[in-house]
Amino acid sequence: QVQLVESGGGLVQAGASLRLSCAASGGTFSRYTIGWFRQAPGKERECVAVISWSGGSTYYADSVKGRFTISRDNAKKKVYLQMNELKPEDTAVYYCAAQMNGAWVNPNQYDYWGQGTQVTVSS
């Protein structure tokens, strides 16, 4: 079983950058695909970015492509989400999640979730 803890959220102005971290414990972290999801009030949980167990493959939602970068350090059991050029519409609670196999963008395919970290972008 894998435990995930997100950090790095905060309140920033539009155009600023934030770096989210997802720290894992337990399990064999390097075997898991890790996804970053976000959920804004009144909206469904949305897949933002995903990285394969090796880091060799990634996915980005169209809304963040070119602004966000996902990376991982298996030795440190961490996954990062570098968010640049933040927009007010990026405001949401951001979650990291882990899975071994399944559709990357479907949150129901993920087995383990962190508690989330709030990102608020003011205009």
Side-chain angles (χ1 to χ4, degrees), residues 37-48:
F37 291 77
R38 67 186 181 187
Q39 189 165 20
K43 294 189 177 181
E44 292 188 353
R45 193 164 293 191
E46 172 193 18
C47 181
V48 174

Side-chain angles (χ1 to χ4, degrees), residues 10-86:
L11 171 63
V12 297
Q13 290 188 329
S17 297
L18 279 175
R19 188 195 197 201
L20 303 184
S21 296
C22 173
S25 61
T28 306
F29 176 73
S30 61
R31 296 175 62 186
Y32 288 90
T33 293
I34 303 295
W36 282 100
F37 291 77
R38 67 186 181 187
Q39 189 165 20
K43 294 189 177 181
E44 292 188 353
R45 193 164 293 191
E46 172 193 18
C47 181
V48 174
V50 182
I51 189 164
S52 63
W53 65 271
S54 67
S57 297
T58 57
Y59 161 85
Y60 296 97
D62 288 342
S63 58
V64 306
K65 204 171 290 183
R67 300 188 297 122
F68 290 11
T69 303
I70 190 171
S71 61
R72 69 189 294 162
D73 185 334
N74 284 341
K76 294 183 178 179
K77 293 188 175 182
K78 286 190 174 181
V79 173
Y80 306 99
L81 186 67
Q82 178 67 42
M83 306 187 296
N84 298 329
E85 301 176 29
L86 283 163

Side-chain angles (χ1 to χ4, degrees), residues 37 45 47 50 97 99 102-111 113:
F37 291 77
R45 193 164 293 191
C47 181
V50 182
Q99 60 143 289
W104 279 17
V105 299
N106 185 347
N108 295 326
Q109 298 293 310
Y110 286 77
D111 301 304
W113 290 84

